Amino acid sequence: MLLPTLVTCLAGCAFLLSPGSEGCGPGRGYGKRRSPRKLAPLAYKQFSPNVAEKTLGASGRYEGKITRISERFKELTPNYNPDIIFKDEENTGADRMMTQRCKDKLNSLAISVMNLWPGVRLRVTEGWDEDGHHSEESLHYEGRAVDITTSDRDRNKYAMLARLAVEAGFDWVYYESKAHIHCSVKSDHSVAAKSGGCFPGEALVTLESGGQKSISDLRPGERVLASASSDGSGELIYSEVLAFLDRDPSTWKFFYTLQTEAGARLSLTAAHLVFVSEGNCSEGAVPARGALRTVYASEAQPGQCVLVSEGKAGQRHSEGRLSRITRVSLRESRGAFAPLTQEGTVVVDGVVASCYAVVEQHSLAHWAFSPLRIIHSWTGSTGSHSDGIHWYSQLLHWLGRMLLDSGRFHPLGVAQDNR
């Protein structure tokens, strides 16, 4: 009787929440499998996705102009694809310079163009701009945007060219002008931030003995400081680490770092969940019941409050206290670790965080992992697991790819198959 119950629970969890299974990072993609469809051309002035270009769901924020003498110039790579015509009216090769992600999408689009229109090639009229010809904060200044046409300059093809660009994986496509299509991509930094891992290897957790240990040295069976409440508030207790949903000691990833007024600094991946209090919050106060919600790390903002375990003088609290976020930044660090505790929460670098990611509802994510907790209660283990993604996460991911639509999840936590 127990086994059918467990299987039913597992299927239900996977159906509702599977992409959240990978702790802090997605796999290669989610979404329902669809039968082949006829491609619909974009309408004039239409953009896809239907959000502003420099927002989270599209190509993301502007990160600053790149010049030939700047340190970031090394982020750009030349594109010498013979199947693409570069206008290069400046005769400097600037239009060929772009980020690796932009290059990959452009090369993919070039193949689609030749397949649909034999004898026609993709043409780039504008790429990286080093001369200031575009509007302020244009992604052309970062090598993340291109303006394109077909080699025959047949404007009747441009609506379908825009659709092909969407299918090729550009993060934002705009039928901007009768003369060209505008395409842009996320920065390579933000793409790196979404993939795998959760907390960096040097992040610290607090053990039941009172000492601290880097998360890279943590092992299942150890007990770490966590919150007993499903919304992160309430009593701070010590909770057993059941498993690592993802563990990669050698990888380099980008992490969002939240710095608080109390001095705490928490680093975690973009799609990971953290508890915050909206509106007015008093530094050091205990949050009222129902005052907290989970947000993605990439959506945390200065002025919001997170829960910390210690005050400014190093005083240890018996329950989480509010501390205002003063700064949010992006940094690169080594290692990617996603521990799962019995409570589904964990205090990392003095800040209360969820063990889950990708789906914004912590409570549903916690419920989805109930079968794994049942397995652990029966056997004292969650099954053999080395570095990489946990088998249970992989199982939920496999089911989720068939059953769930990718639109329900964090934009940086979902990478479609053709991207």
Side-chain angles (χ1 to χ4, degrees):
M1 194 66 188
L2 285 174
L3 184 58
T5 300
L6 177 59
V7 171
T8 301
C9 187
L10 175 60
C13 292
F15 179 79
L16 284 177
L17 206 65
S18 64
S21 66
E22 295 190 14
C24 287
R28 296 182 179 176
Y30 311 105
K32 297 178 181 177
R33 296 185 183 275
R34 297 178 175 87
S35 57
R37 68 191 190 284
K38 183 178 180 180
L39 297 180
L42 263 64
Y44 180 56
K45 292 297 182 181
Q46 181 183 355
F47 42 86
S48 179
N50 190 29
V51 295
E53 180 180 28
K54 287 174 282 190
T55 57
L56 181 64
S59 294
R61 65 184 181 183
Y62 175 73
E63 297 185 353
K65 186 175 183 178
I66 295 178
T67 67
R68 290 185 186 270
I69 62 173
S70 67
E71 176 67 19
R72 292 181 59 208
F73 184 68
K74 64 184 180 183
E75 297 176 13
L76 304 184
T77 180
N79 190 332
Y80 295 115
N81 188 336
D83 296 323
I84 302 174
I85 298 171
F86 292 88
K87 185 177 179 181
D88 195 20
E89 57 188 355
E90 298 88 359
N91 201 30
T92 62
D95 288 340
R96 293 182 180 272
M97 302 301 294
M98 57 194 68
T99 63
Q100 185 62 49
R101 182 172 178 81
C102 188
K103 181 178 179 178
D104 291 343
K105 306 312 176 188
L106 199 66
N107 289 344
S108 177
L109 176 58
I111 295 172
S112 299
V113 168
M114 292 187 297
N115 287 340
L116 184 60
W117 300 301
V120 175
R121 289 189 290 170
L122 180 63
R123 176 172 173 260
V124 174
T125 60
E126 291 284 347
W128 173 54
D129 181 0
E130 59 179 332
D131 299 320
H133 293 156
H134 290 83
S135 60
E136 186 178 0
E137 296 193 354
S138 168
L139 298 186
H140 282 284
Y141 296 133
E142 296 185 62
R144 292 165 52 192
V146 289
D147 293 341
I148 58 174
T149 72
T150 55
S151 60
D152 60 2
R153 306 187 197 182
D154 181 357
R155 297 188 178 190
N156 293 323
K157 292 186 173 76
Y158 291 178
M160 183 56 75
L161 177 64
R163 173 54 61 187
L164 293 180
V166 173
E167 297 299 312
F170 279 98
D171 297 302
W172 198 71
V173 177
Y174 180 27
Y175 193 169
E176 181 178 33
S177 161
K178 293 289 187 180
H180 70 262
I181 305 299
H182 175 82
C183 311
S184 63
V185 296
K186 300 181 189 298
S187 72
D188 289 349
H189 292 167
S190 68
V191 174
K194 78 180 181 188
S195 55
C198 194
F199 304 103
E202 78 273 13
L204 296 176
V205 293
T206 302
L207 303 177
E208 193 169 20
S209 64
Q212 291 190 315
K213 174 181 279 192
S214 65
I215 205 166
S216 60
D217 294 328
L218 189 63
R219 294 292 180 269
E222 294 187 281
R223 294 169 64 83
V224 297
L225 193 63
S227 172
S229 171
S230 62
D231 69 351
S233 64
E235 183 183 5
L236 295 178
I237 63 171
Y238 290 96
S239 181
E240 182 180 357
V241 176
L242 305 183
F244 277 86
L245 302 181
D246 198 354
R247 189 177 190 279
D248 190 341
S250 60
T251 189
W252 284 88
K253 300 292 181 186
F254 284 90
F255 297 87
Y256 281 81
T257 298
L258 315 181
Q259 185 170 337
T260 78
E261 194 171 314
R265 293 171 60 93
L266 173 67
S267 295
L268 62 176
T269 50
H272 195 65
L273 296 178
V274 63
F275 299 99
V276 301
S277 176
E278 293 290 359
N280 295 328
C281 56
S282 300
E283 187 72 20
V286 176
R289 183 177 297 275
L292 300 175
R293 67 184 182 94
T294 46
V295 299
Y296 301 122
S298 60
E299 294 182 353
Q301 299 292 327
Q304 293 177 325
C305 282
V306 295
L307 288 168
V308 297
S309 61
E310 295 184 359
K312 283 187 175 180
Q315 178 186 10
R316 181 66 57 80
H317 299 310
S318 60
E319 54 189 331
R321 303 294 180 96
L322 296 172
S323 185
R324 189 170 287 102
I325 298 173
T326 57
R327 186 170 183 265
V328 179
S329 58
L330 192 67
R331 72 182 183 92
E332 188 177 20
S333 190
R334 186 170 186 173
F337 298 85
L340 174 67
T341 67
Q342 185 69 248
E343 306 300 323
T345 61
V346 60
V347 175
V348 177
D349 289 329
V351 180
V352 181
S354 169
C355 290
Y356 310 113
V358 180
V359 178
E360 201 168 15
Q361 292 178 283
H362 168 87
S363 58
L364 286 179
H366 189 59
W367 180 80
F369 278 87
S370 296
L372 193 62
R373 291 181 174 83
I374 293 173
I375 292 173
H376 185 271
S377 67
W378 289 348
T379 66
S381 169
T382 60
S384 60
H385 174 58
S386 56
D387 291 348
I389 298 173
H390 194 277
W391 66 266
Y392 183 84
S393 298
Q394 293 179 348
L395 174 60
L396 290 180
H397 165 62
W398 176 73
L399 290 172
R401 287 194 63 186
M402 295 187 295
L403 299 172
L404 297 173
D405 193 295
S406 62
R408 296 176 58 190
F409 310 104
H410 186 285
L412 295 183
V414 180
Q416 296 178 10
D417 288 341
N418 65 348
R419 299 192 180 196

